[in-house]
């Protein structure tokens, strides 16, 4: 039996093989393999847990090797793997003919001195890595059972027999079977050892891949072996969970657009006097466009942006899996959660450090931009953030990922986030206001806006200037509710999922050329507007992508001139002394 564990470093992490050797000598436990203090302390926790669970601790000299030897091992998640490896080796040496089992089992869990197994972080990432490496058996803490449920239901996809690609014609589809994973949840060391013993006793001729019927198939750990039983309400069957997962790159994103419920007090219908801003938020949500809004204090910037998550549809399974993995690595996955389907909405404080925003630390944990993957990063009072934090957003906004380099290792996290910025027009907040006096020197205003560098602002598609003068608008405005806004957003998102594999804000140059054709009149208007407002090449592309989203909201196949006019109006504000109120 090969016992491995998982070292959660960065997004990928690494599998760690746990080997045990019993030899003659003074009884002691030696550990090699670049282990940190938490892992070295597992020797004492493991010794007490084994004895308090009713097992005899080996009296030989024990050597524990964690390989690969050049990878630093950190955390208490190795406790259970080390204890099971010691028990397995001790029993194998006491048997004349030990069973020859070539199975590989992933084991994670922290041990209490009583033998109880505590939950650990990174279980979702560990199971995902184990699946990618062809490991079929896993033992995890019982309290992490819900987190592992996504991997424990059989998955089938449809492929074209000749090309291997997804196809729509039923006549050319054949089922493609993915080997099932068996994930065991154990509450105590005795339970985990019983599961390991049953896996050792499994007939080696038993097929690893079997045809599964339409009903769920489950297993329970018993003295006789692994028997079939019906799963419980949590999707588990007496300690074994069933597999339900999507293999990345196999299943095409074809789920319908679904929105979650929201509290009535967060309805956009309660916001009055900012019709243009609410329309901009609808377009931003439909195409996942970055947005900055600036205006005097009290004009409704934070009020409207804090409700933005109510406009976001639920994540598809393909989008939700990496989000769930990141939150599992960070230890932020809510208890009992199988998969995160709500789009992340991160709102860090202005005092956030550079490491807190981009990630880092000893284990390269994810930062706010990775925690906002496939969701939103909202920076309120953005000008008060550190300059280094604001400038660090530029590369992730462009590439959709963040690379963290440390002394000996490098970690790459996905960071496809939508950026929302809210700021005052000047340090005092009154610049551009019709009924208040700004006491800031013009140079102070320019220095204030220099915190938002031109490269950063150029990556923001929508720029909105707000004022407190909303009384004339409030009398004539047409009330926009969250439900009415969701209709257009859902229509646009559905068109984007059918037409392409990314939101409109993520279209590259070649996709813009093929998916966003412009007629002569519309292209001429865009060219004139680019010269008048000084748009860069990226700014021109932003206008085209915004126009594409506006057309999608209305359900139109082609971009019209009125779509481009609205797109230019949304993008033209540059900020600073040239704001247009």
């Amino acid at each position: 039996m090969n016992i491995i564990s998982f070292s959660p470093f960065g997004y990928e992490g690494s599998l760690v093989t746990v080997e045990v050797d019993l030899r003659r000598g003074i009884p002691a436990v030696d550990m090699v393999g670049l282990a940190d203090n938490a892992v070295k302390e597992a020797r004492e926790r493991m010794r007490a847990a084994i004895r308090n669970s009713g097992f005899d601790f080996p009296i030989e000299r024990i050597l524990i090797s964690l390989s690969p030897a050049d990878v630093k091992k950190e955390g208490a998640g190795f406790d259970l793997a080390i204890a099971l490896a010691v028990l397995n080796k001790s029993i194998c040496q006491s048997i004349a003919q030990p069973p020859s089992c070539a199975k590989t089992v992933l084991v994670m869990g922290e041990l209490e001195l009583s033998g109880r197994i505590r939950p650990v972080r990174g279980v979702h990432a560990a199971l995902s890595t184990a699946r990618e490496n062809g490991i079929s058996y896993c033992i995890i803490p019982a309290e992490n059972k819900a987190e592992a449920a996504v991997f424990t239901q059989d998955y089938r996809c449809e492929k074209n027999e000749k090309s291997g690609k997804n196809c729509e014609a039923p006549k050319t589809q054949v089922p493609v079977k993915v080997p099932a994973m068996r994930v065991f949840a154990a509450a105590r060391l005795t339970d985990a050892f019983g599961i390991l013993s049953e896996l050792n006793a499994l007939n080696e001729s038993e097929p690893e891949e079997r045809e599964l019927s339409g009903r769920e198939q489950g297993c329970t750990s018993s003295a006789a072996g692994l028997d079939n039983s019906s799963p419980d309400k949590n999707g588990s069957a007496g300690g074994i969970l069933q597999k339900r997962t999507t293999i990345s790159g196999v299943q095409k994103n074809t789920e319908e657009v679904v929105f979650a419920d929201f509290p009535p007090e967060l309805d956009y219908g309660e916001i009055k006097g900012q019709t243009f801003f609410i329309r901009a938020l609808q377009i931003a949500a439909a195409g996942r466009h970055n947005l900055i809004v600036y205006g005097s204090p009290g004009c409704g910037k934070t009020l409207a942006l804090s409700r933005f998550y109510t406009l976001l549809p639920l994540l598809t399974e393909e989008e939700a899996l990496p989000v769930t993995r990141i939150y599992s690595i960070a230890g932020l996955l809510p208890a009992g959660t199988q998969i995160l389907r709500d789009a992340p909405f991160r709102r860090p404080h202005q005092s956030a450090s550079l490491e807190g925003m981009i990630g880092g630390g000893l284990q390269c944990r994810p930062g706010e931009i990775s925690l906002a993957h496939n969701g939103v990063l909202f920076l309120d009072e953005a000008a008060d953030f550190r300059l280094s934090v604001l400038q660090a957003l530029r590369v992730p906004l462009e590439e959709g990922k963040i690379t963290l380099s440390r002394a000996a290792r490098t970690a790459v996290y996905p960071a496809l986030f939508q950026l929302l910025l809210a700021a005052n027009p000047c340090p005092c907040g009154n610049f551009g206001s019709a009924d208040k006096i700004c006491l800031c020197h013009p140079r102070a205003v320019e220095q204030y806006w220099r915190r938002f560098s031109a490269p950063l602002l150029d990556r923001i598609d929508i720029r909105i200037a707000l004022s407190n003068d909303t009384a004339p608008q409030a009398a004539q405005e047409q009330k926009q509710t969250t439900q009415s806004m969701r209709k257009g957003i859902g229509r646009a998102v559905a068109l984007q999922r059918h037409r392409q594999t990314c939101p409109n804000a993520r279209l590259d140059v070649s996709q813009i050329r093929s998916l966003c054709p412009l007629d002569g009149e519309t292209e001429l208007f865009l060219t004139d507007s680019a010269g008048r407002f000084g748009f860069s090449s990226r700014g021109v592309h932003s206008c085209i992508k915004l126009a594409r989203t506006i057309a999608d909201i209305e359900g139109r196949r082609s971009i019209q001139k009125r779509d481009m006019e609205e797109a230019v109006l949304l993008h033209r504000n540059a900020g600073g002394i040239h704001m247009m109120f």
Side-chain angles (χ1 to χ4, degrees):
M1 177 68 68
N2 299 320
I3 297 177
I4 65 172
S5 192
F6 180 76
S7 178
F9 181 91
Y11 181 73
E12 297 296 336
S14 58
L15 297 177
V16 176
T17 303
V18 181
E19 299 176 290
V20 173
D21 180 63
L22 303 182
R23 48 186 175 164
R24 294 182 179 180
I26 299 175
V29 179
D30 301 319
M31 185 175 295
V32 297
L34 207 61
D36 72 345
N37 290 334
V39 180
K40 292 179 180 178
E41 291 170 355
R43 295 177 296 186
E44 303 305 323
R45 290 193 297 270
M46 173 264 302
R47 188 198 304 267
I50 288 177
R51 289 177 174 171
N52 292 334
S53 298
F55 299 103
D56 294 328
F57 192 79
I59 59 175
E60 293 88 354
R61 192 175 186 88
I62 303 174
L63 174 63
I64 300 172
S65 175
L66 305 177
S67 58
D70 60 342
V71 175
K72 189 172 182 61
K73 290 80 180 178
E74 300 173 328
F78 294 90
D79 291 7
L80 183 59
I82 292 173
L84 291 181
V86 170
L87 288 174
N88 185 63
K89 186 67 175 180
S90 176
I91 291 180
C92 287
Q93 281 199 355
S94 64
I95 300 176
Q97 293 183 346
S100 58
C101 181
K103 290 185 176 64
T104 300
V105 181
L106 173 71
V107 181
M108 291 188 70
E110 178 184 347
L111 284 175
E112 295 182 356
L113 300 185
S114 62
R116 180 178 172 272
I117 302 175
R118 294 176 56 86
V120 294
R121 66 180 180 89
V123 168
H124 186 280
L127 295 179
S128 178
T129 305
R131 181 194 65 195
E132 294 167 0
N133 287 269
I135 298 173
S136 301
Y137 302 96
C138 306
I139 301 176
I140 62 170
E143 294 183 40
N144 292 112
K145 181 167 61 173
E147 183 177 348
V150 68
F151 296 93
T152 53
Q153 187 177 20
D154 184 60
Y155 171 76
R156 287 174 179 270
C157 64
E158 306 294 332
K159 282 187 178 180
N160 188 301
E161 188 173 8
K162 295 182 180 180
S163 64
K165 298 181 179 180
N166 291 11
C167 55
E168 299 181 358
K171 297 181 180 179
T172 60
Q173 291 180 347
V174 292
V176 178
K177 182 174 57 179
V178 177
M181 290 182 73
R182 302 177 185 178
V183 183
F184 298 80
R188 302 189 61 83
L189 177 60
T190 52
D191 301 332
F193 182 73
I195 294 170
L196 190 70
S197 301
E198 292 170 3
L199 292 178
N200 268 323
L202 276 179
N203 187 358
E204 291 300 320
S205 62
E206 180 184 0
E208 292 295 329
E209 300 181 8
R210 56 165 67 95
E211 290 290 341
L212 298 181
S213 60
R215 64 179 180 86
E216 291 186 359
Q217 295 187 358
C219 304
T220 57
S221 57
S222 64
L226 300 178
D227 305 316
N228 290 335
S229 66
S230 59
D232 61 19
K233 63 180 180 180
N234 293 323
S236 65
I240 267 198
L241 307 175
Q242 298 307 302
K243 182 176 183 179
R244 186 183 68 82
T245 186
T246 302
I247 305 302
S248 179
V250 174
Q251 185 183 30
K252 192 174 181 180
N253 187 356
T254 57
E255 298 184 24
E256 62 177 343
V257 181
V258 181
F259 294 87
D261 296 332
F262 64 93
E265 60 270 16
L266 297 181
D267 196 303
Y268 273 98
E270 302 296 326
I271 300 177
K272 300 179 181 179
Q274 300 293 0
T275 307
F276 181 67
F277 183 31
I278 300 302
R279 169 64 173 172
L281 292 179
Q282 181 188 30
I283 297 171
R288 308 302 301 276
H289 298 283
N290 301 324
L291 177 146
I292 182 172
V293 56
Y294 43 89
S296 55
C299 63
K301 305 183 299 294
T302 303
L303 177 66
L305 289 178
S306 61
R307 305 182 181 197
F308 186 78
Y309 72 92
T310 63
L311 302 178
L312 302 177
L314 297 180
L315 300 177
T316 63
E317 192 170 3
E318 185 179 354
E319 295 170 336
L321 285 176
V323 174
T324 307
R325 178 169 184 154
I326 292 172
Y327 276 72
S328 174
I329 293 171
L332 299 177
L333 196 64
T337 301
Q338 297 184 6
I339 185 170
L340 290 174
R341 299 303 291 266
D342 292 327
F345 187 84
R346 304 296 300 182
R347 186 179 175 178
H349 191 262
Q350 296 90 336
S351 61
S353 65
L354 180 62
E355 186 176 279
M357 290 295 295
I358 69 173
L362 295 177
Q363 297 179 345
C364 276
R365 293 198 183 185
E368 290 292 339
I369 63 174
S370 294
L371 293 172
H373 178 62
N374 287 333
V376 173
L377 178 65
F378 173 33
L379 303 185
D380 195 12
E381 302 295 343
D384 293 335
F385 281 81
R386 302 180 187 183
L387 183 60
S388 59
V389 169
L390 295 175
Q391 298 309 313
L393 299 176
R394 290 160 48 182
V395 174
L397 282 174
E398 190 72 22
E399 298 184 354
K401 62 182 179 180
I402 181 69
T403 302
L404 305 176
S405 298
R406 294 298 177 261
R409 302 179 67 178
T410 299
V412 179
Y413 277 102
L416 284 170
F417 62 94
Q418 180 180 4
L419 180 63
L420 302 181
L421 301 177
N424 292 326
C426 66
C428 76
N430 296 329
F431 180 76
S433 179
D435 56 348
K436 296 180 181 179
I437 299 176
C438 175
L439 302 178
C440 301
H441 192 276
R443 183 171 179 80
V445 178
E446 287 295 337
Q447 290 177 344
Y448 180 84
W449 278 94
R450 280 181 182 175
R451 301 184 65 84
F452 305 106
S453 63
L456 176 61
L457 289 176
D458 206 31
R459 289 170 169 83
I460 298 177
D461 298 337
I462 302 176
R463 299 106 175 249
I464 303 296
L466 293 185
S467 68
N468 281 322
D469 188 16
T470 60
Q473 301 179 29
Q476 302 177 1
E477 71 176 357
Q478 183 178 1
K479 195 173 182 180
Q480 281 275 21
T481 65
T482 300
Q483 291 295 346
S484 63
M485 296 168 68
R486 281 181 169 186
K487 293 180 181 179
I489 294 172
R491 187 184 304 115
V493 172
L495 287 173
Q496 292 169 56
R497 290 178 179 177
H498 177 74
R499 183 178 60 227
Q500 64 219 30
T501 59
C502 63
N504 286 337
R506 286 287 170 182
L507 294 175
D508 57 30
V509 177
S510 61
Q511 290 175 314
I512 292 175
R513 192 178 298 112
S514 60
L515 300 177
C516 308
L518 303 178
D519 56 36
E521 183 182 9
T522 304
E523 188 170 3
L524 180 60
F525 173 79
L526 176 60
T527 303
D528 293 342
S529 299
R532 187 185 322 136
F533 298 111
F535 292 163
S536 64
S537 297
R538 185 185 284 115
V540 172
H541 291 157
S542 294
C543 291
I544 297 175
K545 291 184 287 188
L546 284 171
R548 177 71 272 173
T549 300
I550 295 170
D552 289 343
I553 291 176
E554 303 301 328
R556 292 192 292 266
R557 291 179 175 268
S558 59
I559 299 175
Q560 300 181 3
K561 182 182 177 181
R562 57 179 175 175
D563 301 327
M564 188 60 67
E565 290 174 348
E566 187 175 7
V568 170
L569 186 63
L570 290 169
H571 185 72
R572 68 181 185 179
N573 288 337
I577 206 72
H578 304 293
M579 290 189 308
M580 302 183 68
F581 280 92

